[in-house]
Amino acid sequence: MDLAHLVGIGRTKAGEHWNRGLVDLAVEAGGAALDEAAVSPTAIVVGNALGSVLGDQRNLAVYIAARLGYRQAETHTVESDEASGGAALRMALALLNAGFHEAVLVIGAEKPTDTFPDGVEAGRANGLDVLREAGFGFGVSVAAALAMTNYINTYGVDRSSFYHISAHAHRHAALNDLSFMSWALSEEQYAKSPLVADPFKVCDGAPPCDGAAAAVVTLKRPETDQTVRVIGSAGISIEPGIWRPVLELKLPAAQQSASRALDQAGLTTKAISLFELHDSSTIMGALSLEAIGLADKGQALKLAEGDALSLKGAHPAWTFGGHKARGHTLGASGMYQIVEAALQLRGDAGQNQVADARTALVQSLGSFGSTAFTHVLSR
Amino acid sequence: MDIARLWRQQPSNIRLLGSRCRSCGVLTFPERVRCAECCSSELQAYQFKGDGELLVATTVYEAPRGFVDQVPYVAGLVRLVEGPIVAAMITDIEPDKVAVGMRVEMVTRRICSSGADDPIVYGYKFRPVAHHD
Ligand SMILES: [Zn+2]
C-alpha cells in the first residue's frame, strides 16, 4: 500500500552555517522542496530536537510557514530527540492518511553550532533520562563509550576495528558535496583523534552540525513518472535507559520498527536496495546493522570492513556519508536520510548512486535507541 | 538548576530512596507513583542500601556542560544489590584502577556546577568498597 508519494525534496549543505539561523535553514530546504512539487501543501510538520533547549524558537513550524509565504496552514512542531526527522515524516503520513490534507510539507531542521560544544552535548544529553542520566554527567558520548566497552569485552573485537564504520561513511561523504566531512578518513587520523570518553574517540562520533532537509508528501500519485513511494512506516518507543543498549548490546525498538515497516511493505531485509541507519556513533551504527539483521551479533564491524556496505556492495548503507560524515543534524538527520534515499530511488544520486536502486530502508533513532521510526521507500 | 526541582529530587539523590510495589513487590529506583510492572498505585517508599557492583565504566574527558570541571571522571552503571541499575560517577579511585565487577558503595558528593547563581547540586556517586583481605 502506498502511504504517500514524495513529490518534492530539498536540503541544505550539512555543516556550519554562520550566516543562517534555524528558520532560515528550514525555509531554504522547505522552499526547495516546494519548488519541485506541483502541489501546494496545506500542512507543515517540522522536526527539530534542540531548538528549545538551546534557546531558539519554539512552535517553530508557525514561523517557518509564514516565511515560506503561507497566510495560513496547519502546523506541527515535532520533537522526538534525534528521531525528530523520522517522527515528523510519520506525523505527515498520519495527516495524509487520515484524510485531513492532500499534501504536507515535512521539514527537519537543526542549528546547534551557535552553541559551544559542551552546551550542545548537554542539550543532547537531555534526550537521555534528565534526572537519572543527564543530571549525573552522562551524555550520548558517555553512553556510546559504555556500549563500545561492553561490545569490545563481549565479542572480543579490537578497539581499533570501529574505524571501519567511520571510514566507510567518510568514503561516501567524500563523493557528496553537501556533506560536512567530505573527505576520506585514514586509519591514522582515526587513531590519533582525541578521546571523548574511553574508548570513544572524536572520530567515533557523528559531528553535530547545522542543516535542514525537506519533502513534500501527497496521497495522490503524481502524474509524472518521477515518484518515490513510502510503502512502510513504523514508530516504536520502548522503556528508555542507556543500560539496555549498553549491557544487552541490542536495540529492540530499532529491530521491531524495522520489522513492522518491512511487513507493511511486504518486503524482507534482503529485498532492500540500500539502508540509511542512525549512525550517531560507530557503536550505534554497528548495533543498528545488527538490529535490522544485516549482521549477526558482534559481526557488524567485520561487515563494515568489507565491501558489503559500499555503493556497489550487497547492502549499500549510509550512501551519502550517514550522520557520521554527511554530518549529524540531530533532529533534521531523519529527513536528510529520507531525501538521500529519495535521490537514490529517483536515480538522482550522482556519484553516490546505487545502481538500480529500487527500495530503501530508512531508520531514525532517539534517546539512545529507545525511540525508533523506520520508513520503507520504493520507486 | 531550580531550587524546587532540586528539593524534590533530594530523597532519591541524597538518600537513594526508591519505591516498593505493595502489589507485586518490584523495587524501583527512584520513587514512582505507579508500578510499571503491574500498574498498581499502591507503592511504598523503599530505602536502598547503597551497595552494588560496577557493571561497566568509562573515563570521561569531554563532558557535557555542568560537568566540565570534573574531567577526567569515571562514569559507569552500577547494579544495586537489590536489583535496579543506576548510572553514576565512580569516585575515590584513579581511573586506571577501576575494574568491572568491583564492589561499590554510595556516597554523597557534589554532582554538578552550573552558573554562579545556581545552587550546588549534591547527589550520589559510588566508591570502591575497601578490601579486607
Ligand atoms: Zn507492581
Side-chain angles (χ1 to χ4, degrees):
Chain A
M1 177 187 155
D2 293 346
L3 297 168
H5 295 270
L6 271 69
V7 297
I9 52 175
R11 73 206 203 278
T12 71
K13 182 175 163 62
E16 297 180 33
H17 290 275
W18 302 113
N19 57 347
R20 290 266 201 290
L22 178 56
V23 174
D24 300 322
L25 291 165
V27 167
E28 192 178 327
L34 289 173
D35 289 347
E36 257 198 28
V39 294
S40 296
T42 48
I44 298 179
V45 183
V46 176
N48 168 260
L50 294 191
S52 280
V53 76
L54 299 184
D56 214 313
Q57 183 65 56
R58 295 195 305 110
N59 203 3
L60 188 54
V62 180
Y63 295 86
I64 293 166
R67 291 269 305 277
L68 283 167
Y70 278 85
R71 305 257 181 231
Q72 60 157 36
E74 177 173 339
T75 62
H76 295 270
T77 306
V78 174
E79 189 269 297
S80 295
D81 191 37
E82 294 179 19
S84 298
L89 177 61
R90 171 103 176 143
M91 171 69 110
L93 299 182
L95 292 173
L96 289 178
N97 286 279
F100 293 161
H101 294 274
E102 290 182 0
V104 179
L105 172 62
V106 196
I107 306 175
E110 203 74 71
K111 176 71 197 173
T113 67
D114 284 347
T115 306
F116 285 112
D118 66 322
V120 175
E121 190 69 13
R124 293 181 73 187
N126 276 16
L128 306 179
D129 188 325
V130 166
L131 297 183
R132 303 269 74 87
E133 293 168 349
F136 284 80
F138 288 68
V140 287
S141 305
V142 177
L146 292 170
M148 279 176 86
T149 301
N150 196 31
Y151 195 95
I152 290 166
N153 292 342
T154 302
Y155 299 127
V157 300
D158 196 86
R159 188 256 153 275
S160 63
S161 52
F162 282 91
Y163 161 72
H164 301 300
I165 299 263
S166 289
H168 167 77
H170 274 263
R171 273 194 291 276
H172 291 172
L175 306 171
N176 172 13
D177 290 341
L178 297 184
S179 64
F180 184 29
M181 304 210 150
S182 54
W183 60 83
L185 179 73
S186 75
E187 207 155 357
E188 193 189 355
Q189 282 171 308
Y190 175 82
K192 281 188 175 164
S193 80
L195 277 173
V196 175
D198 198 18
F200 181 100
K201 292 167 180 283
V202 167
C203 285
D204 283 302
C209 67
D210 309 335
V216 175
V217 290
T218 63
L219 255 194
K220 223 175 98 191
R221 187 183 181 89
E223 280 161 21
T224 59
D225 303 338
Q226 207 178 59
T227 177
V228 171
R229 299 178 297 144
V230 182
I231 59 171
S233 172
I236 291 179
S237 289
I238 59 163
E239 180 194 1
I242 63 170
W243 65 270
R244 191 191 301 272
V246 167
L247 297 176
E248 297 182 352
L249 301 173
K250 281 183 193 163
L251 300 175
Q255 187 264 320
Q256 288 166 34
S257 76
S259 154
R260 270 198 216 175
L262 284 167
D263 280 352
Q264 188 175 33
L267 295 172
T268 61
T269 308
K270 274 195 188 123
I272 298 293
S273 311
L274 64 110
F275 299 84
E276 299 299 336
L277 306 175
H278 196 82
D279 58 332
S280 53
S281 56
T282 49
I283 183 68
M284 284 303 263
L287 295 179
S288 293
L289 289 169
E290 295 173 14
I292 64 165
L294 280 185
D296 289 335
K297 299 269 171 272
Q299 299 297 313
L301 305 179
K302 199 171 279 177
L303 183 74
E305 185 176 5
D307 289 334
L309 304 179
S310 71
L311 297 175
K312 293 196 168 92
H315 313 291
W318 301 301
T319 63
F320 282 80
H323 303 344
K324 172 67 197 80
R326 169 238 296 123
H328 195 4
T329 53
L330 306 171
S333 287
M335 281 306 296
Y336 270 90
Q337 295 173 305
I338 292 291
V339 168
E340 290 162 353
L343 287 168
Q344 291 287 0
L345 301 174
R346 284 174 13 172
D348 290 339
Q351 292 194 83
N352 297 84
Q353 187 66 49
V354 171
D356 197 31
R358 290 168 180 278
T359 52
L361 185 145
V362 178
Q363 187 169 74
S364 185
L365 307 181
S367 295
F368 209 61
S370 302
T371 291
F373 291 93
T374 305
H375 289 94
V376 178
L377 274 51
S378 174
R379 71 182 194 200
Chain B
M1 190 183 287
D2 302 314
I3 294 280
R5 192 188 304 182
L6 203 56
W7 186 254
R8 189 169 63 246
Q9 288 172 33
Q10 294 285 31
S12 56
N13 286 7
I14 305 292
R15 293 199 286 136
L16 218 59
L17 202 69
S19 297
R20 181 183 176 278
C21 176
R22 287 182 201 268
S23 173
C24 75
V26 78
L27 301 175
T28 52
F29 178 78
E31 278 188 285
R32 299 288 188 229
V33 295
R34 182 180 165 94
C35 176
E37 289 298 317
C38 75
C39 299
S40 165
S41 43
E42 298 292 307
L43 301 180
Q44 60 187 143
Y46 184 87
Q47 178 64 60
F48 286 94
K49 284 207 276 288
D51 294 330
E53 175 194 353
L54 182 65
L55 299 176
V56 59
T58 178
T59 305
V60 182
Y61 299 96
E62 283 184 42
R65 186 166 293 170
F67 302 92
V68 175
D69 64 330
Q70 297 187 63
V71 297
Y73 60 84
V74 177
L77 296 181
V78 171
R79 190 194 303 278
L80 301 176
V81 289
E82 298 91 343
I85 295 168
V86 180
M89 288 193 204
I90 309 302
T91 189
D92 298 5
I93 183 170
E94 290 301 315
D96 60 353
K97 299 283 194 298
V98 172
V100 166
M102 202 168 71
R103 284 178 55 218
V104 292
E105 63 187 4
M106 182 258 198
V107 287
T108 300
R109 292 290 157 84
R110 183 177 68 91
I111 296 300
C112 77
S113 52
S114 7
D117 297 332
D118 292 329
I120 297 170
V121 179
Y122 290 95
Y124 51 77
K125 291 187 182 180
F126 285 78
R127 69 176 176 201
V129 175
H131 285 290
H132 301 288
D133 50 9

